[in-house]
Amino acid sequence: MSSHGPAAPMTAHRAGPLTGTAHVPGDKSISHRSLILGAMAVGETCVTGLLEGQDVLDTAKAMRAFGADVARDADGTWRVHGVGVGGFSEPEDVIDCGNSGTGVRLIMGCMATTPISATFTGDASLRSRPMGRITDPIALFGAQSHGRKGGRLPMTIVGAAAPVPVRYVTPMPSAQVKSAVLLAGLNAPGQTVVIEKEATRDHSERMLAGFGAVVTTEDTDEGRVITLTGQPELKPQTIVVPRDPSSAAFPVCAALITEGSDVLIPNIGLNPTRAGLFATLREMGADLTYENERTEGGEPVADLRARFSDSMQGIEVPPERAPSMIDEYPILSVVAALSTGKTVMRGVKELRVKESDRIDAMARGLEACGVTIEEDEDTFIVHGMGAGGVPGGATAAARLDHRIAMSFLCLGMAAQKPVTVDDAGPIATSFPIFVPLMRELGARLEDEAAR
Ligand code: S3P
């Protein structure tokens, strides 16, 4: 069974200012897709800037189990020798995706139209997350699934021997679901169509096109219609992974709330399907600027500069913006607590099925730190206490969720009394250098086990 070892409590003390340059790691979404699409191409895909977090390492291991050759050079370049669309072999053992919903869901999709079986599992967080959102559409291709009650892992997928193409309207805004269907569609004949009512991150579409698949996107009255022509030969690529805006969010927000701070975060991907947090922060009055704006590898990129902002105001976050900042609500709720007035986040029920129930995790931890919140199934409201106004002095449960752990450590950097997270271990899934990077900027993070 997957686990990351004994809990590693950590405390953040008010310190600062945070100053300097923060080079955050590669984008997690693009890193998973680089390995998966590389494994489905014929020949050698070369990836630099890959996020070497546990989630992505688990995907690399899975791709090896399906027959691809995945290796890392001493200089950090990753080489993937793919086996071609439909070329996966049956894994000899259970595929353990650790903490990663993106990993397991995309991999289930990409093997669902090959006549092999695979059994998937993960850590306690992943084993509690719903997989019906993947097993429903892959059943339409002809795949079968056998999991635990409620569509939970461990689960065996039996890939379709004679897959048919599918037209699928995603029932919730989810790039993982869209991507799983497109990846399954790769080994089905004819055209697979995915329709999403709200646009979600489009890395799969962009990267599939980069690998030589025929994929088109059209905005219609029905929503965004993505059409993929099946059974292409994917051509290996050279990929430079941009730095992750969802990881950049932490040093950006820490700088905005910590007195005297001025931090530069270079080379951040600002794909519009990912940049909702930064727009929201600017509307709240954050001193956040984009420098050196440019295009790299077809994606908009900029250097972000974040300075302490003592007069941020709460806002109503437009619900239609949720998919472009879905992973950023936990850290936004920390910024909201240190702003003036109410921040209202609606249309956020997907947060309840992330690595943890993120509304509940943030609500309980913020309350323990003296912040007033309101919540219902689909809404989260934080009553701001102004810059420096949060009492802190509590321990928050990380619940095996990297973003919850990092959010509360950022809160501790600006709260009046220290904030402890009961386990900082999960941070390694997406941002393994978070602690040294934040310390280098001036944060005071104490490892409780070392005391
Ligand atoms: C991701 C999609 C999002 C996001 C996750 C990464 C992806 O999940 O929360 O961190 O890479 O496709 P959903 O598709 O469930 O919204």
Side-chain angles (χ1 to χ4, degrees):
M1 196 183 307
S2 158
S3 133
H4 69 80
M10 181 167 282
T11 299
H13 298 255
R14 194 175 208 173
L18 304 177
T19 53
T21 302
H23 293 284
V24 304
D27 190 277
K28 181 155 72 72
S29 295
I30 296 175
S31 294
H32 282 296
R33 287 159 173 82
S34 299
L35 296 174
I36 292 170
L37 290 172
M40 299 180 85
V42 179
E44 185 184 275
T45 287
C46 187
V47 191
T48 52
L50 189 89
L51 166 64
E52 295 181 344
Q54 193 55 47
D55 279 10
V56 176
L57 299 179
D58 286 335
T59 289
K61 208 165 140 204
M63 290 301 99
R64 286 189 197 109
F66 282 102
D69 187 10
V70 184
R72 181 190 190 275
D73 291 349
D75 69 355
T77 302
W78 285 73
R79 295 180 191 281
V80 186
H81 283 264
V83 292
V85 168
F88 280 168
S89 45
E90 188 162 277
E92 283 178 15
D93 202 349
V94 173
I95 304 293
D96 187 343
C97 289
N99 189 251
S100 181
T102 305
V104 76
R105 290 178 174 140
L106 268 54
I107 297 168
M108 281 178 172
C110 73
M111 58 75 57
T113 47
T114 301
I116 54 173
S117 296
T119 301
F120 296 89
T121 193
D123 70 4
S125 156
L126 192 58
R127 279 183 276 116
S128 73
R129 297 179 68 185
M131 295 298 145
R133 55 181 59 197
I134 303 300
T135 54
D136 287 352
I138 65 175
L140 304 174
F141 287 97
Q144 292 170 27
S145 59
H146 306 277
R148 284 193 305 134
K149 211 165 112 217
R152 304 301 203 257
L153 303 179
M155 178 175 280
T156 298
I157 307 288
V158 183
V164 290
V166 158
R167 181 181 173 85
Y168 192 69
V169 182
T170 55
M172 69 288 287
S174 168
Q176 292 175 358
V177 174
K178 168 177 66 178
S179 303
V181 176
L182 291 172
L183 291 169
L186 279 175
N187 200 35
Q191 292 193 322
T192 286
V193 180
V194 187
I195 300 159
E196 48 179 11
K197 290 181 210 110
E198 295 163 82
T200 64
R201 67 189 68 193
D202 60 0
H203 305 303
S204 295
E205 298 91 302
R206 287 174 187 248
M207 293 179 74
L208 279 162
F211 273 85
V214 177
V215 54
T216 59
T217 300
E218 207 189 339
D219 286 317
T220 71
D221 292 345
E222 229 187 329
R224 186 164 276 195
V225 180
I226 303 130
T227 306
L228 172 83
T229 302
Q231 300 181 328
E233 181 175 309
L234 298 183
K235 310 259 180 308
Q237 298 299 297
T238 298
I239 300 172
V240 181
V241 179
R243 294 175 193 268
D244 198 327
S246 297
S247 295
F250 295 99
V252 163
C253 291
L256 296 178
I257 60 177
T258 306
E259 203 171 333
S261 298
D262 184 351
V263 173
L264 186 71
I265 305 106
N267 299 321
I268 301 305
L270 290 177
N271 179 315
T273 62
R274 297 288 298 282
L277 172 74
F278 304 129
T280 301
L281 292 170
R282 300 217 288 192
E283 283 170 22
M284 293 171 77
D287 186 350
L288 171 64
T289 51
Y290 297 168
E291 299 183 354
N292 197 12
E293 285 183 66
R294 58 209 184 269
T295 304
E296 271 176 23
E299 297 265 355
V301 169
D303 304 338
L304 305 184
R305 184 160 185 192
R307 297 185 185 90
F308 174 58
S309 304
D310 63 358
S311 53
M312 290 187 284
Q313 295 282 337
I315 62 163
E316 283 250 1
V317 183
E320 62 279 8
R321 195 179 282 166
S324 70
M325 54 180 290
I326 194 66
D327 290 335
E328 281 65 76
Y329 284 98
I331 188 61
L332 175 65
S333 68
V334 167
V335 174
L338 290 149
S339 301
T340 309
K342 268 198 313 192
T343 295
V344 181
M345 299 165 259
R346 294 192 201 282
V348 293
K349 66 172 182 288
E350 273 295 301
L351 295 179
R352 297 210 180 264
V353 289
K354 295 293 177 188
E355 285 83 332
S356 67
D357 175 342
R358 285 182 171 162
I359 296 178
D360 192 60
M362 291 311 299
R364 302 294 80 79
L366 285 172
E367 279 175 340
C369 289
V371 181
T372 302
I373 62 93
E374 293 171 63
E375 62 171 307
D376 67 26
E377 183 55 25
D378 198 27
T379 310
F380 189 35
I381 299 171
V382 176
H383 292 256
M385 306 182 86
V390 174
T395 297
R399 304 190 188 185
L400 289 179
D401 189 330
H402 51 130
R403 299 199 204 282
I404 300 301
M406 289 187 279
S407 295
F408 281 110
L409 290 174
C410 290
L411 178 62
M413 294 172 203
Q416 291 157 5
K417 293 203 188 108
V419 175
T420 300
V421 291
D422 65 345
D423 188 9
I427 294 172
T429 62
S430 72
F431 199 162
I433 59 165
F434 172 80
V435 171
L437 178 146
M438 294 307 304
R439 282 181 180 150
E440 181 73 31
L441 295 177
R444 204 178 135 208
L445 296 173
E446 270 176 19
D447 188 345
E448 291 296 325
R451 287 187 351 139

